[in-house]
Amino acid sequence: MVFAIFGTCVDTPEFGEVRGLHEPTLVVVSSGCIQSLYRGRAAEESRKTLENQGVSVRVLHASEILVPGFIDTHIHFPQFPFTGAGIDKPLMGDDGFLVKYAFPTEESMSDLAIARSVYNAGLETLLRHGTTSALIFASIHCQASKELVDAAIRNRGPRAFVGKVCVDRHCPDSYIETTETSINETEDFINYTQARAAEAGHSPPYLVQPVVTPRFLPTCTAELLAGLSQLAERYKCIIQSHMSESIDEVEFSSALFEGKTDAEVFSDFGLLRAPSVMAHCVQMKCTEEDLLRDSGAAIAHCPLSNFFFASGALPVKQLISRGIKVGLGTDVAGGYSPSMLSSMRAAVLASKTLHFQYLPGAVQSSVGGLSVGAKEKESSKEQDDLSHFDALYLATMGGAASLGLQDLLGSFEEGKRFDAVLLTQVSTALSFVCRHDSREDLLQKILTLGDDRNVKEVFVDGQSVYSQP
């Protein structure tokens, strides 16, 4: 089936570049793929040609903007039930977020009825918010993780890159595996998911894909890391984990692995490579940045949860300028919102907080604050400030590049799969949008003020998988 969409279609093919705000675009879709694409006058002319040929052309309203599908590079599906709770706790410790909330809720996924309910609701929630691809942590349970794979295929989206979580130490007795069981069940899960992807008949990137998932270094022995690395190499899997997230995590990991940094440990075991995605990375050292860049591994930036657990803000703009790939994640439930629009806003705000830190050359004022020169402030803004359109890049093309799928997803290009979100003005806070707004102002208002009510329709692989009632 061939159809076309004509109107304001905006994408960010490179960091700092925005296309489609000032001219119409015609996107022609066939068999889930962008068959052809025209901009400006060519779009107008091609639209008329297609209509004369009887091709269905959907003309977008002035209040509608099409963008590439959002790609969530870090989310914990079993944690949906306690979203919004526990963020007042530290990450580690007997009274921490993991022990009090994450581990018990993940343990409940051993009940397949609970897992099915949570996972189906989670997939529907993501689609409603415009997420068309998600890099997912499931639980340690192989069968429950398979249920998530099956649900994503039934729902026709979002694209689910699913990891059966692997842990063999420093977890509750009721939520832990032996090293052998973790490796064997991970291989079983990989084989199952790759078979289901082939059966579903989709073209790459498949609707489902297995991900090798050591939870993080404190919960994984050297033997487990070595075994998982071999599986990732054998089956050509994406790798995901947490890295250098919080001060207490970094100290614990260093004590377990002879004073090495997180990146050094992952690199030593062959788990830091392309495509691998490491969440957070807020407490990285310069040597870890070098390892990330040289290996081709990516960072899942989770600004909302970083405010609560990481005690810092990731210098995204600086990292990208140094050649490190960065995508955006919600980190449910450490992040309390499953909306990538919310994560985009948090990314912008987090970049601003970098100005609040001490700047070289600043002098103490008489009241104990910092007096920073204007030149220093402008320099800091230049190297750190993210715009809302930079955040859109992180949520689309940045995520695609992090997953090694930059040739298939993330922007509107001929030959890419058609994953897209139709955003619209509705009578929420956006009711004050003026008819004289430019396309740029309208999109910024949606990115700044929007929620799931502004997601009118969602496409995965050329199919409409969600539309507002």
Side-chain angles (χ1 to χ4, degrees):
M1 180 180 176
V2 179
F3 68 93
I5 295 178
F6 175 86
T8 303
C9 304
V10 178
D11 65 354
T12 53
E14 301 287 343
F15 184 77
E17 179 184 354
V18 184
R19 294 187 302 195
L21 284 171
H22 307 298
E23 60 183 5
T25 302
L26 179 71
V27 181
V28 184
V29 180
S30 176
S31 301
C33 183
I34 299 177
Q35 183 183 73
S36 52
L37 186 143
Y38 307 91
R39 301 183 187 278
R41 180 174 297 179
E44 294 273 9
E45 296 171 351
S46 298
R47 170 193 168 187
K48 296 175 183 176
T49 300
L50 287 175
E51 288 174 336
N52 291 335
Q53 294 173 349
V55 174
S56 174
V57 180
R58 178 172 178 174
V59 180
L60 300 183
H61 188 271
S63 64
E64 297 175 337
I65 297 177
L66 191 77
V67 298
F70 301 145
I71 300 172
D72 188 339
T73 57
H74 188 65
I75 184 169
H76 295 262
F77 255 54
Q79 295 181 15
F80 265 108
F82 70 89
T83 304
I87 54 177
D88 59 328
K89 303 287 186 181
L91 180 67
M92 311 281 284
D94 292 340
D95 192 43
F97 176 86
L98 291 174
V99 170
K100 290 294 186 179
Y101 290 91
F103 291 151
T105 310
E106 292 181 28
E107 183 183 344
S108 71
M109 296 303 110
S110 61
D111 184 325
L112 295 184
I114 294 175
R116 291 188 193 103
S117 175
V118 170
Y119 291 164
N120 277 297
L123 292 168
E124 292 168 5
T125 297
L126 292 197
L127 289 177
R128 190 174 73 248
H129 285 279
T131 299
T132 57
S133 295
L135 185 58
I136 299 168
F137 277 63
S139 67
I140 69 171
H141 311 103
C142 186
Q143 189 56 47
S145 301
K146 292 177 180 179
E147 292 285 345
L148 177 51
V149 167
D150 293 342
I153 292 175
R154 285 195 306 271
N155 286 6
R156 298 180 300 159
R159 297 185 192 274
F161 302 88
V162 182
K164 188 209 82 67
V165 170
C166 298
V167 297
D168 66 344
R169 66 172 171 183
H170 297 306
C171 284
D173 291 341
S174 57
Y175 191 65
I176 198 166
E177 309 168 288
T178 67
T179 306
E180 182 180 13
T181 296
S182 187
I183 293 171
N184 290 341
E185 291 196 350
T186 296
E187 184 167 25
D188 178 25
F189 176 73
I190 291 170
N191 284 319
Y192 179 85
T193 305
Q194 290 183 340
R196 292 290 284 126
E199 290 169 7
H202 288 255
S203 300
Y206 296 109
L207 197 59
V208 294
Q209 189 167 319
V211 182
V212 170
T213 307
R215 187 186 194 101
F216 68 155
L217 293 182
T219 60
C220 298
T221 63
E223 292 77 15
L224 179 57
L225 295 174
L228 294 177
S229 178
Q230 292 171 8
L231 291 179
E233 177 63 28
R234 184 182 312 152
Y235 293 100
K236 307 305 178 188
C237 290
I238 296 173
I239 300 161
Q240 66 176 345
S241 191
H242 303 80
M243 193 177 93
S244 303
E245 177 179 2
S246 65
I247 295 172
D248 51 356
E249 177 269 314
V250 168
E251 291 176 347
F252 192 17
S253 297
S254 179
L256 293 170
F257 290 96
E258 302 177 342
K260 293 183 177 181
T261 66
D262 281 14
E264 287 171 335
V265 177
F266 282 120
S267 181
D268 287 349
F269 286 99
L271 292 164
L272 203 64
R273 59 175 185 240
S276 60
V277 181
M278 298 294 160
H280 306 296
C281 300
V282 171
Q283 302 297 336
M284 280 196 307
K285 297 180 179 178
C286 292
T287 54
E288 293 185 277
E289 292 181 17
D290 295 339
L291 284 171
L292 272 173
R293 182 191 61 247
D294 296 343
S295 67
I299 296 173
H301 178 35
C302 305
L304 193 53
S305 63
N306 286 347
F307 280 127
F308 300 113
F309 300 114
S311 301
L314 190 74
V316 173
K317 198 170 182 179
Q318 294 184 48
L319 292 168
I320 290 176
S321 72
R322 295 198 283 269
I324 296 174
K325 292 179 286 190
V326 183
L328 191 63
T330 60
D331 195 20
V332 167
Y336 55 71
S337 173
S339 168
M340 289 292 283
L341 289 172
S342 178
S343 287
M344 285 183 240
R345 292 190 280 271
V348 173
L349 291 173
S351 75
K352 304 292 185 184
T353 67
L354 295 168
H355 304 319
F356 305 156
Q357 300 177 20
Y358 179 82
L359 295 174
V363 296
Q364 294 287 341
S365 72
S366 58
V367 294
L370 293 174
S371 175
V372 182
K375 288 185 179 180
E376 290 172 313
K377 286 184 178 180
E378 288 306 314
S379 173
S380 180
K381 286 184 178 180
E382 181 66 26
Q383 70 178 359
D384 291 319
D385 268 11
L386 294 175
S387 71
H388 287 82
F389 300 119
D390 293 334
L392 179 62
Y393 167 86
L394 297 176
T396 55
M397 196 63 200
S402 296
L403 295 172
L405 298 172
Q406 62 274 7
D407 295 331
L408 297 170
L409 298 174
S411 63
F412 297 133
E413 305 276 1
E414 290 184 5
K416 288 193 173 186
R417 309 306 297 180
F418 185 68
D419 289 10
V421 181
L422 182 59
L423 299 172
T424 183
Q425 170 199 346
V426 295
S427 296
T428 58
L430 287 165
S431 60
F432 297 105
V433 171
C434 174
R435 62 187 178 88
H436 299 300
D437 274 338
S438 67
R439 298 288 88 193
E440 181 174 350
D441 286 346
L442 176 59
L443 180 54
Q444 185 171 10
K445 285 182 175 182
I446 293 174
L447 296 179
T448 304
L449 302 171
D451 54 36
D452 57 312
R453 292 169 293 181
N454 298 99
V455 175
K456 184 172 184 178
E457 192 166 4
V458 179
F459 300 86
V460 173
D461 226 34
Q463 298 187 67
S464 177
V465 293
Y466 168 80
S467 60
Q468 286 189 12

